[in-house]
Short mmCIF file of all heavy atoms in Angstrom, two decimals:
data_model
loop_
_atom_site.label_atom_id
_atom_site.label_comp_id
_atom_site.label_asym_id
_atom_site.label_seq_id
_atom_site.Cartn_x
_atom_site.Cartn_y
_atom_site.Cartn_z
N ALA A 1 7.71 -5.71 9.22
CA ALA A 1 7.06 -4.83 10.20
C ALA A 1 7.56 -5.10 11.61
O ALA A 1 7.78 -4.17 12.40
CB ALA A 1 5.54 -5.01 10.13
N ILE A 2 7.77 -6.35 11.94
CA ILE A 2 8.28 -6.71 13.27
C ILE A 2 9.76 -6.33 13.39
O ILE A 2 10.20 -5.82 14.43
CB ILE A 2 8.07 -8.21 13.58
CG1 ILE A 2 6.59 -8.58 13.48
CG2 ILE A 2 8.64 -8.58 14.94
CD1 ILE A 2 5.68 -7.90 14.47
N TRP A 3 10.55 -6.56 12.34
CA TRP A 3 11.96 -6.18 12.37
C TRP A 3 12.11 -4.68 12.65
O TRP A 3 13.03 -4.27 13.35
CB TRP A 3 12.65 -6.52 11.04
CG TRP A 3 13.21 -7.91 11.00
CD1 TRP A 3 12.72 -8.97 10.30
CD2 TRP A 3 14.36 -8.40 11.70
NE1 TRP A 3 13.49 -10.08 10.52
CE2 TRP A 3 14.51 -9.76 11.36
CE3 TRP A 3 15.29 -7.82 12.56
CZ2 TRP A 3 15.54 -10.55 11.87
CZ3 TRP A 3 16.32 -8.61 13.06
CH2 TRP A 3 16.44 -9.95 12.71
N GLU A 4 11.21 -3.88 12.11
CA GLU A 4 11.29 -2.43 12.30
C GLU A 4 11.09 -2.02 13.75
O GLU A 4 11.47 -0.91 14.14
CB GLU A 4 10.27 -1.72 11.41
CG GLU A 4 10.64 -1.78 9.94
CD GLU A 4 9.59 -1.16 9.05
OE1 GLU A 4 8.88 -0.24 9.50
OE2 GLU A 4 9.50 -1.59 7.88
N LYS A 5 10.54 -2.88 14.57
CA LYS A 5 10.35 -2.57 15.99
C LYS A 5 11.62 -2.74 16.80
O LYS A 5 11.70 -2.30 17.95
CB LYS A 5 9.23 -3.44 16.57
CG LYS A 5 7.88 -3.11 15.98
CD LYS A 5 6.80 -3.97 16.57
CE LYS A 5 5.46 -3.62 15.93
NZ LYS A 5 4.37 -4.40 16.51
N VAL A 6 12.63 -3.40 16.22
CA VAL A 6 13.91 -3.58 16.90
C VAL A 6 14.66 -2.24 16.85
O VAL A 6 14.80 -1.66 15.77
CB VAL A 6 14.75 -4.69 16.22
CG1 VAL A 6 16.13 -4.79 16.86
CG2 VAL A 6 14.02 -6.02 16.29
N PRO A 7 15.11 -1.74 18.00
CA PRO A 7 15.83 -0.46 18.01
C PRO A 7 17.04 -0.48 17.07
O PRO A 7 17.87 -1.39 17.13
CB PRO A 7 16.29 -0.31 19.47
CG PRO A 7 15.33 -1.16 20.25
CD PRO A 7 14.96 -2.30 19.34
N GLY A 8 17.09 0.50 16.16
CA GLY A 8 18.20 0.58 15.21
C GLY A 8 17.88 -0.01 13.85
O GLY A 8 18.65 0.15 12.90
N ILE A 9 16.75 -0.69 13.74
CA ILE A 9 16.35 -1.29 12.46
C ILE A 9 15.15 -0.52 11.92
O ILE A 9 14.08 -0.51 12.52
CB ILE A 9 15.97 -2.78 12.63
CG1 ILE A 9 17.12 -3.58 13.19
CG2 ILE A 9 15.48 -3.37 11.30
CD1 ILE A 9 18.33 -3.67 12.28
N GLY A 10 15.35 0.13 10.80
CA GLY A 10 14.26 0.83 10.13
C GLY A 10 13.76 0.04 8.94
O GLY A 10 14.06 -1.14 8.79
N SER A 11 13.04 0.72 8.07
CA SER A 11 12.45 0.02 6.93
C SER A 11 13.49 -0.49 5.95
O SER A 11 13.33 -1.57 5.39
CB SER A 11 11.43 0.92 6.22
OG SER A 11 12.07 2.07 5.72
N SER A 12 14.58 0.25 5.74
CA SER A 12 15.61 -0.20 4.80
C SER A 12 16.29 -1.47 5.31
O SER A 12 16.44 -2.44 4.56
CB SER A 12 16.67 0.88 4.59
OG SER A 12 16.12 1.97 3.91
N TYR A 13 16.73 -1.44 6.56
CA TYR A 13 17.38 -2.62 7.13
C TYR A 13 16.43 -3.82 7.19
O TYR A 13 16.81 -4.93 6.86
CB TYR A 13 17.93 -2.35 8.53
CG TYR A 13 19.23 -1.58 8.56
CD1 TYR A 13 19.40 -0.53 9.44
CD2 TYR A 13 20.28 -1.92 7.72
CE1 TYR A 13 20.60 0.17 9.49
CE2 TYR A 13 21.48 -1.22 7.75
CZ TYR A 13 21.63 -0.17 8.64
OH TYR A 13 22.81 0.52 8.68
N SER A 14 15.20 -3.58 7.60
CA SER A 14 14.26 -4.70 7.72
C SER A 14 14.02 -5.34 6.36
O SER A 14 13.98 -6.57 6.24
CB SER A 14 12.95 -4.25 8.36
OG SER A 14 12.24 -3.38 7.51
N SER A 15 13.93 -4.53 5.33
CA SER A 15 13.73 -5.05 3.98
C SER A 15 14.95 -5.85 3.53
O SER A 15 14.82 -6.95 2.97
CB SER A 15 13.47 -3.90 3.02
OG SER A 15 13.36 -4.36 1.71
N ARG A 16 16.15 -5.33 3.79
CA ARG A 16 17.37 -6.04 3.41
C ARG A 16 17.51 -7.35 4.17
O ARG A 16 17.94 -8.36 3.61
CB ARG A 16 18.59 -5.17 3.70
CG ARG A 16 18.74 -4.00 2.78
CD ARG A 16 19.99 -3.23 3.13
NE ARG A 16 19.86 -1.85 2.69
CZ ARG A 16 20.54 -0.84 3.18
NH1 ARG A 16 21.42 -1.05 4.15
NH2 ARG A 16 20.36 0.37 2.73
N ILE A 17 17.19 -7.34 5.45
CA ILE A 17 17.29 -8.55 6.28
C ILE A 17 16.38 -9.65 5.73
O ILE A 17 16.81 -10.79 5.53
CB ILE A 17 16.95 -8.25 7.76
CG1 ILE A 17 18.06 -7.41 8.39
CG2 ILE A 17 16.73 -9.54 8.54
CD1 ILE A 17 17.68 -6.81 9.74
N VAL A 18 15.13 -9.31 5.47
CA VAL A 18 14.17 -10.30 4.99
C VAL A 18 14.55 -10.79 3.59
O VAL A 18 14.48 -11.99 3.31
CB VAL A 18 12.73 -9.74 5.04
CG1 VAL A 18 11.76 -10.65 4.32
CG2 VAL A 18 12.30 -9.53 6.49
N LYS A 19 15.01 -9.89 2.74
CA LYS A 19 15.40 -10.28 1.39
C LYS A 19 16.60 -11.23 1.43
O LYS A 19 16.61 -12.26 0.74
CB LYS A 19 15.75 -9.04 0.57
CG LYS A 19 16.05 -9.32 -0.88
CD LYS A 19 16.42 -8.04 -1.60
CE LYS A 19 15.38 -7.76 -2.66
NZ LYS A 19 15.68 -6.57 -3.45
N TYR A 20 17.60 -10.92 2.23
CA TYR A 20 18.78 -11.78 2.32
C TYR A 20 18.42 -13.11 2.98
O TYR A 20 18.89 -14.16 2.54
CB TYR A 20 19.90 -11.07 3.10
CG TYR A 20 21.21 -11.81 3.03
CD1 TYR A 20 21.88 -11.97 1.82
CD2 TYR A 20 21.78 -12.36 4.16
CE1 TYR A 20 23.08 -12.66 1.74
CE2 TYR A 20 22.98 -13.05 4.10
CZ TYR A 20 23.63 -13.19 2.89
OH TYR A 20 24.82 -13.88 2.82
N ARG A 21 17.57 -13.07 4.00
CA ARG A 21 17.12 -14.30 4.65
C ARG A 21 16.43 -15.21 3.64
O ARG A 21 16.66 -16.42 3.62
CB ARG A 21 16.17 -13.96 5.80
CG ARG A 21 15.66 -15.19 6.54
CD ARG A 21 14.62 -14.84 7.56
NE ARG A 21 13.41 -14.37 6.90
CZ ARG A 21 12.47 -13.65 7.50
NH1 ARG A 21 12.60 -13.30 8.76
NH2 ARG A 21 11.40 -13.28 6.85
N ASP A 22 15.62 -14.63 2.77
CA ASP A 22 14.93 -15.43 1.76
C ASP A 22 15.91 -16.04 0.76
O ASP A 22 15.73 -17.18 0.33
CB ASP A 22 13.88 -14.59 1.04
CG ASP A 22 12.70 -14.22 1.94
OD1 ASP A 22 12.55 -14.84 3.03
OD2 ASP A 22 11.93 -13.32 1.56
N LEU A 23 16.95 -15.29 0.39
CA LEU A 23 17.97 -15.83 -0.51
C LEU A 23 18.72 -17.00 0.13
O LEU A 23 18.99 -18.01 -0.52
CB LEU A 23 19.00 -14.75 -0.86
CG LEU A 23 18.66 -13.81 -2.00
CD1 LEU A 23 19.72 -12.71 -2.10
CD2 LEU A 23 18.53 -14.54 -3.31
N LEU A 24 19.04 -16.86 1.40
CA LEU A 24 19.76 -17.91 2.13
C LEU A 24 18.90 -19.14 2.37
O LEU A 24 19.41 -20.24 2.50
CB LEU A 24 20.21 -17.40 3.51
CG LEU A 24 21.49 -16.64 3.62
CD1 LEU A 24 21.67 -16.13 5.05
CD2 LEU A 24 22.68 -17.47 3.22
N GLY A 25 17.62 -18.92 2.49
CA GLY A 25 16.74 -19.99 2.94
C GLY A 25 16.55 -19.93 4.44
O GLY A 25 16.04 -20.84 5.07
N GLY A 26 16.96 -18.81 5.04
CA GLY A 26 16.88 -18.61 6.48
C GLY A 26 18.26 -18.47 7.08
O GLY A 26 19.26 -18.86 6.47
N PHE A 27 18.32 -17.91 8.25
CA PHE A 27 19.59 -17.75 8.96
C PHE A 27 19.82 -18.93 9.90
O PHE A 27 18.93 -19.30 10.65
CB PHE A 27 19.59 -16.47 9.80
CG PHE A 27 19.51 -15.19 9.01
CD1 PHE A 27 18.34 -14.45 8.98
CD2 PHE A 27 20.62 -14.73 8.32
CE1 PHE A 27 18.27 -13.26 8.27
CE2 PHE A 27 20.55 -13.54 7.60
CZ PHE A 27 19.38 -12.80 7.57
N ALA A 28 21.01 -19.50 9.85
CA ALA A 28 21.37 -20.57 10.78
C ALA A 28 21.95 -19.99 12.08
O ALA A 28 21.84 -20.60 13.13
CB ALA A 28 22.37 -21.51 10.14
N HIS A 29 22.54 -18.80 11.98
CA HIS A 29 23.18 -18.13 13.12
C HIS A 29 22.86 -16.65 13.06
O HIS A 29 22.84 -16.07 11.97
CB HIS A 29 24.70 -18.30 13.08
CG HIS A 29 25.15 -19.71 12.86
ND1 HIS A 29 25.14 -20.64 13.86
CD2 HIS A 29 25.59 -20.34 11.74
CE1 HIS A 29 25.58 -21.79 13.37
NE2 HIS A 29 25.84 -21.64 12.09
N LYS A 30 22.66 -16.03 14.20
CA LYS A 30 22.33 -14.61 14.15
C LYS A 30 23.49 -13.75 13.70
O LYS A 30 23.29 -12.66 13.18
CB LYS A 30 21.70 -14.11 15.45
CG LYS A 30 22.50 -14.13 16.68
CD LYS A 30 21.72 -13.44 17.81
CE LYS A 30 21.80 -14.21 19.10
NZ LYS A 30 21.11 -13.49 20.19
N GLU A 31 24.72 -14.25 13.80
CA GLU A 31 25.87 -13.49 13.31
C GLU A 31 25.81 -13.25 11.80
O GLU A 31 26.44 -12.33 11.29
CB GLU A 31 27.18 -14.22 13.66
CG GLU A 31 27.48 -14.30 15.13
CD GLU A 31 26.76 -15.43 15.86
OE1 GLU A 31 26.09 -16.28 15.21
OE2 GLU A 31 26.84 -15.46 17.10
N GLN A 32 25.03 -14.06 11.11
CA GLN A 32 24.86 -13.88 9.66
C GLN A 32 24.20 -12.56 9.33
O GLN A 32 24.27 -12.10 8.20
CB GLN A 32 24.05 -15.03 9.08
CG GLN A 32 24.79 -16.35 9.05
CD GLN A 32 23.89 -17.47 8.61
OE1 GLN A 32 23.03 -17.90 9.36
NE2 GLN A 32 24.08 -17.94 7.39
N LEU A 33 23.57 -11.94 10.29
CA LEU A 33 22.98 -10.63 10.06
C LEU A 33 24.03 -9.62 9.60
O LEU A 33 23.73 -8.68 8.88
CB LEU A 33 22.26 -10.11 11.31
CG LEU A 33 20.96 -10.83 11.65
CD1 LEU A 33 20.51 -10.46 13.05
CD2 LEU A 33 19.89 -10.49 10.62
N MET A 34 25.28 -9.84 10.00
CA MET A 34 26.36 -8.93 9.58
C MET A 34 26.70 -9.09 8.10
O MET A 34 27.44 -8.29 7.56
CB MET A 34 27.60 -9.14 10.45
CG MET A 34 27.40 -8.63 11.87
SD MET A 34 28.88 -8.72 12.89
CE MET A 34 28.92 -10.48 13.26
N GLU A 35 26.14 -10.09 7.44
CA GLU A 35 26.31 -10.25 6.00
C GLU A 35 25.32 -9.37 5.23
O GLU A 35 25.47 -9.18 4.02
CB GLU A 35 26.12 -11.71 5.59
CG GLU A 35 27.15 -12.64 6.19
CD GLU A 35 26.83 -14.10 5.96
OE1 GLU A 35 26.01 -14.43 5.06
OE2 GLU A 35 27.39 -14.94 6.68
N VAL A 36 24.32 -8.86 5.93
CA VAL A 36 23.33 -7.98 5.31
C VAL A 36 23.98 -6.62 5.10
O VAL A 36 24.61 -6.07 6.02
CB VAL A 36 22.06 -7.85 6.19
CG1 VAL A 36 21.10 -6.83 5.63
CG2 VAL A 36 21.40 -9.21 6.36
N TYR A 37 23.85 -6.09 3.90
CA TYR A 37 24.46 -4.82 3.56
C TYR A 37 24.11 -3.74 4.59
O TYR A 37 22.94 -3.52 4.91
CB TYR A 37 24.02 -4.36 2.16
CG TYR A 37 24.58 -3.02 1.77
CD1 TYR A 37 25.91 -2.92 1.36
CD2 TYR A 37 23.82 -1.87 1.84
CE1 TYR A 37 26.44 -1.70 1.01
CE2 TYR A 37 24.35 -0.64 1.49
CZ TYR A 37 25.66 -0.56 1.07
OH TYR A 37 26.20 0.66 0.75
N GLY A 38 25.13 -3.11 5.15
CA GLY A 38 24.94 -2.00 6.09
C GLY A 38 24.92 -2.38 7.55
O GLY A 38 25.04 -1.52 8.41
N ILE A 39 24.76 -3.66 7.85
CA ILE A 39 24.75 -4.08 9.26
C ILE A 39 26.18 -4.41 9.66
O ILE A 39 26.71 -5.46 9.31
CB ILE A 39 23.80 -5.25 9.51
CG1 ILE A 39 22.36 -4.83 9.19
CG2 ILE A 39 23.92 -5.73 10.97
CD1 ILE A 39 21.31 -5.87 9.46
N GLU A 40 26.76 -3.47 10.37
CA GLU A 40 28.13 -3.65 10.83
C GLU A 40 28.12 -4.16 12.26
O GLU A 40 27.07 -4.26 12.90
CB GLU A 40 28.90 -2.34 10.68
CG GLU A 40 28.98 -1.95 9.20
CD GLU A 40 29.81 -0.72 8.95
OE1 GLU A 40 30.44 -0.20 9.89
OE2 GLU A 40 29.83 -0.29 7.79
N TYR A 41 29.30 -4.46 12.77
CA TYR A 41 29.45 -5.10 14.07
C TYR A 41 28.76 -4.32 15.19
O TYR A 41 28.08 -4.92 16.03
CB TYR A 41 30.94 -5.29 14.37
CG TYR A 41 31.21 -6.06 15.63
CD1 TYR A 41 30.85 -7.41 15.73
CD2 TYR A 41 31.80 -5.45 16.73
CE1 TYR A 41 31.10 -8.13 16.88
CE2 TYR A 41 32.05 -6.17 17.89
CZ TYR A 41 31.70 -7.51 17.96
OH TYR A 41 31.93 -8.22 19.11
N GLU A 42 28.91 -3.01 15.21
CA GLU A 42 28.31 -2.20 16.28
C GLU A 42 26.79 -2.31 16.28
O GLU A 42 26.18 -2.47 17.34
CB GLU A 42 28.73 -0.72 16.15
CG GLU A 42 30.21 -0.49 16.33
CD GLU A 42 31.05 -0.85 15.12
OE1 GLU A 42 30.52 -0.88 13.97
OE2 GLU A 42 32.25 -1.16 15.32
#
């Protein structure tokens, strides 16, 4: 719900971010967000 408040992040991205974060055990660096399906550099 909080991720969805970030401009450009909707429900699909927020769900993918949290799911991938849980698989990793958390993000060590914010650049890892680009490993989430659909989150490209821009």
Side-chain angles (χ1 to χ4, degrees):
I2 303 297
W3 272 107
E4 289 177 28
K5 293 180 181 182
V6 175
I9 301 295
S11 62
S12 292
Y13 282 135
S14 67
S15 177
R16 289 181 205 158
I17 290 167
V18 170
K19 185 182 244 182
Y20 189 65
R21 180 186 68 199
D22 291 346
L23 276 174
L24 275 175
F27 295 107
H29 311 282
K30 64 174 136 177
E31 293 82 7
Q32 290 173 287
L33 288 168
M34 290 185 283
E35 297 171 18
V36 174
Y37 178 77
I39 297 183
E40 297 185 6
Y41 186 66
E42 296 78 23

